[in-house]
Amino acid sequence: MRRYGFPFPIPRDAVYSWAKPLKLPERGPVMLYTGALYQLTPYIASVVEQLSAIEGSRVSSLALKLSGILSSLGVSRLIVRPKGDMASLVEKILRSIVALLEGAGVKVAYPYEDDMYSGVILYDLGLDDIFKEQAVKVYKTLKSRGAEYIVTVDPHTTHIMRSVYPKYVDGYDLKVESYLEILAERGVEFKGGPREGGVVIHDPCLYARFENVVEQPRRLLSAAGFEVLEPRRSRRMTYCCGGPIEGLTPRMAKTIAKTRLEELRERSKTVVTLCPICYTNLKAVAGGEVEVVDIALLLAGVKP
Amino acid sequence: MTFNSLQAFQEIWDALSDEEFQEALRKASHISQVRVEELLAERRELVEVCREAVEAKRRSVDTLRDLIDVAYRSLESVKAKPYYAESAEEARKIIGGIVGSGKLVVMAKSMAAAEIELRGYLESLGNEVWETDLGELLVQLEGSRPMHTITPAVHMTRFKALKLISEKLGVKLRGDSIEEAVGAVREFLRGKIVKADVGISGANALAADTGAIVLVENESNIRLVTSTPPIHIALVPVDKIVPTLLDAVKVSIVQAAYAGLYPPTYINIIAGPSSTADIERVRVYGAQGPRELHVVLIDNGRMKALKNPLLREHLRCIRCGRCQYECPVWVHTANKWGGPAYGGPMGLVWTAITVDPIEAGKLSYLCLGCGRCDASCPMEIPLSTIIRHLKSLASRGSLE
């Protein structure tokens, strides 16, 4: 992790190649910062597949991981290739987000090769010292590019940047908002289409319980023409997709994802996710019958 | 207590493939979630009582050292005999000393008893010991341990429960009727309770001002166990001490409500042994109820936790078990995940306090950090934050 800046080795430009054709300004006060979570998901999916294979031997692999993951985030020794179809999907999602922001009159800068990983997994695992190093590095880098106002694209990075970094970085002064909050506040003109029918919303835990991003996605989906359906457990009492433990135990993560997907599909065959981790986990158990779609694509009217 | 998290992971893995276990948990957690949600929507006054109970618990934790002294004196003034046990081992010794050997002991469900591994210890001294809460009895018959704080046999289907009752208690059940099984257990246990030398209970709360113990229940086994035998021993972890009797009742009501049991069928208030002064106003102890009441205050890591700013928050926990039923991981593992006695989100923290923070930290890696426990906890305990802190302890432990 210290060596690569990521939980496992990925090509550096995999994080920002999506934005190359957009030629966004590389400095500026309003800065889009993805924290690379979306871009990492194709790699995470690949790692999880490999972990699933060794998890067959039950506790032994878990024991190895428990000792390995803590000392070095041992997954970095696995061979990591992205799942191709997902990589192009992630490009579409991130470009849609930029288009939506532009549609709402928000022009963002983007730090390209400095769009670093925020250190979410370090924080989740309680590796506070390494996390703090990463947090300070990310903060300084963003500041050096003139950032004052950070626009985030996923709940984990939003939470980390808004509610966690201030506790670890002295003098932290970045204002952080998710693009969904910005769009809901400013209003957005929806292009493309058609948009109709009922979609069931899956609130990500961090937005719903920690960052109070609950009504914004609903307002946006409704404004775009969708009927927003609620699963039994939604809003503040939303139910996790299982994702956070997929690296430790894909089997348990899948069991939890299945429980959640069953509940969602009772309301609609189209499930909207607001987080790349939720997307990956629910998608993995969805089969062909249920469609899992990222909210950015629905709002932008872009086919997955 | 020795506890190995790797062995626990093995058990969790096996449980994931146990379809009967999974099905029983799925049903129970669904029923509980819906029940509590409806209850709180219907009876807004409970939310108010809960708010007051949280305040009472905050005050208790802030003044715990003093409260223990006050409670000690109050217990003596109502002729109960207080003890202070610093560790689980000390608690077992104190209780073993009171009970002795060759006795018939009946127990009302107590997580504190599970925490100090009391039943096995009393049996090892040569006593006959019976659990009287039906779920706890099933767990005793199965040779396992409570899988939920309030509903210990949550993991068992009807088939499993009836089989245990008929095989282990030697009662003949004609069909698969739950009513018949409950009736048979009632007859069996009454035989034991009437003859018992000692009754052992836990406590939902202990009021420092009066030395009164409050116990909430539905089965009435606590009533019988605490009033029929001549000796009653109450196990009271020190975090259960609250300033006043009114606080104690509020805490107990909240515990029942957030477990989905409201109104509770019984609330017992016990302040000292039974007595009468009806003849010449001479007070004699041991009227119809016990003549001796022993109250064992159990520290077992709690006073140390008081010094940790995060673990301290957990001393408000009233063991309603709501965080367990609401946790996406717990609903697939029950108390197999969390530690040797307590399970799920609150269990991880109790394990850190009463057993070993590093082992609890290792188990904590299964926590999603999703925060449903935070949102469910009536005592406003920041569970996911504390659990992340435990992970951090384990990470540091493994890095050293």
Side-chain angles (χ1 to χ4, degrees), chain B residues 15-32:
Chain B
L16 279 181
S17 324
D18 183 340
E19 279 174 32
E20 201 177 306
F21 185 89
Q22 293 295 326
E23 177 62 12
L25 280 177
R26 196 188 59 74
K27 270 193 198 152
S29 60
H30 180 82
I31 291 169
S32 170

Side-chain angles (χ1 to χ4, degrees), chain A residues 58-59 123 209 237 251, chain B residues 10 14 17 370 372 388:
Chain A
R58 297 200 304 189
V59 81
Y123 179 73
R209 277 191 280 270
M237 286 309 285
R251 186 169 165 220
Chain B
Q10 180 75 58
D14 294 342
S17 324
C370 79
R372 259 177 88 79
R388 203 199 69 86

Side-chain angles (χ1 to χ4, degrees), chain B residues 53-203:
Chain B
V54 176
E55 287 317 309
K57 289 295 274 190
R58 282 189 200 280
R59 279 198 304 276
S60 310
V61 174
D62 286 345
T63 57
L64 190 52
R65 269 170 211 292
D66 294 338
L67 274 189
I68 292 172
D69 291 339
V70 177
Y72 223 86
R73 286 196 297 273
S74 297
L75 285 165
E76 284 172 336
S77 74
V78 293
K79 301 289 184 265
K81 186 153 173 41
Y83 304 79
Y84 191 88
E86 266 182 39
S87 64
E89 196 193 353
E90 225 179 283
R92 285 193 297 268
K93 279 204 179 123
I94 291 168
I95 298 158
I98 301 165
V99 173
S101 63
K103 302 282 170 46
L104 176 56
V105 179
V106 285
M107 296 181 65
K109 179 178 62 192
S110 155
M111 286 307 293
E115 175 187 322
I116 65 169
E117 298 176 294
L118 184 60
R119 195 192 329 123
Y121 175 74
L122 291 177
E123 283 168 347
S124 77
L125 294 181
N127 296 294
E128 180 186 345
V129 187
W130 289 99
E131 296 286 353
T132 60
D133 173 87
L134 178 55
E136 194 73 46
L137 175 68
L138 288 168
V139 166
Q140 179 183 12
L141 296 177
E142 191 186 40
S144 59
R145 58 197 176 89
M147 283 292 118
H148 180 263
T149 306
I150 308 290
T151 47
V154 59
H155 59 296
M156 286 185 208
T157 56
R158 163 198 306 224
F159 175 76
K160 178 78 190 266
L162 267 51
K163 191 162 175 261
L164 279 172
I165 290 168
S166 68
E167 282 178 5
K168 303 271 175 156
L169 294 186
V171 288
K172 283 216 162 53
L173 298 175
R174 281 180 307 258
D176 64 350
S177 147
I178 296 177
E179 283 81 0
E180 189 194 356
V182 171
V185 169
R186 174 191 163 101
E187 288 313 308
F188 177 85
L189 285 179
R190 290 202 160 216
K192 300 294 178 190
I193 293 168
V194 168
K195 286 188 233 139
D197 301 295
V198 181
I200 298 180
S201 76

Side-chain angles (χ1 to χ4, degrees), chain A residues 274-293:
Chain A
L274 286 62
C275 164
I277 310 279
C278 298
Y279 174 85
T280 317
N281 270 272
L282 295 174
K283 179 84 181 162
V285 296
E289 206 191 321
V290 180
E291 195 193 8
V292 183
V293 203

Side-chain angles (χ1 to χ4, degrees), chain A residues 21-214:
Chain A
L22 303 182
K23 299 206 167 35
L24 298 167
E26 299 192 14
R27 300 178 54 85
V30 182
M31 185 163 287
L32 183 76
Y33 169 67
T34 71
L37 201 64
Y38 266 98
Q39 299 90 315
L40 278 169
T41 50
Y43 297 89
I44 295 172
S46 159
V47 170
V48 170
E49 264 179 27
Q50 295 180 58
L51 287 179
S52 300
I54 42 176
E55 200 186 12
S57 54
R58 297 200 304 189
V59 81
S60 55
S61 69
L62 192 81
L64 282 176
K65 270 183 273 168
L66 264 179
S67 51
I69 203 166
L70 305 182
S71 53
S72 66
L73 293 169
V75 283
S76 62
R77 262 171 264 120
L78 297 169
I79 308 152
V80 186
R81 283 192 205 90
K83 296 196 76 175
D85 48 339
M86 280 183 62
S88 73
L89 181 69
V90 166
E91 279 190 359
K92 274 190 205 171
I93 291 169
L94 294 173
R95 286 177 191 162
S96 297
I97 290 171
V98 172
L100 285 163
L101 285 165
E102 277 175 4
V106 180
K107 295 231 180 298
V108 291
Y110 180 65
Y112 287 86
E113 64 274 14
D114 280 345
D115 187 1
M116 303 152 81
Y117 182 58
S118 67
V120 165
I121 195 174
L122 302 173
Y123 179 73
D124 287 348
L125 289 174
L127 297 164
D128 288 11
D129 297 342
I130 321 179
F131 171 71
K132 189 181 163 117
E133 273 177 38
Q134 183 78 359
V136 170
K137 202 155 92 187
V138 170
Y139 171 72
K140 283 189 176 155
T141 309
L142 292 173
K143 287 294 277 187
S144 75
R145 286 184 178 254
E148 291 167 15
Y149 187 109
I150 297 294
V151 181
T152 50
V153 297
D154 73 81
H156 292 268
T157 310
T158 308
H159 176 62
I160 283 281
M161 297 297 287
R162 182 152 75 196
S163 305
V164 181
Y165 269 27
K167 295 181 202 152
Y168 288 80
V169 181
D170 291 335
Y172 189 81
D173 57 358
L174 293 169
K175 184 167 162 46
V176 180
E177 276 197 294
S178 140
Y179 81 98
L180 292 168
E181 291 171 285
I182 296 170
L183 294 182
E185 195 185 307
R186 299 181 67 109
V188 60
E189 212 176 292
F190 294 100
K191 295 179 201 143
R195 303 182 191 82
E196 54 191 24
V199 294
V200 58
I201 186 163
H202 167 72
D203 289 296
C205 300
L206 288 170
Y207 271 165
R209 277 191 280 270
F210 294 85
E211 295 302 328
N212 199 25
V213 179
V214 177

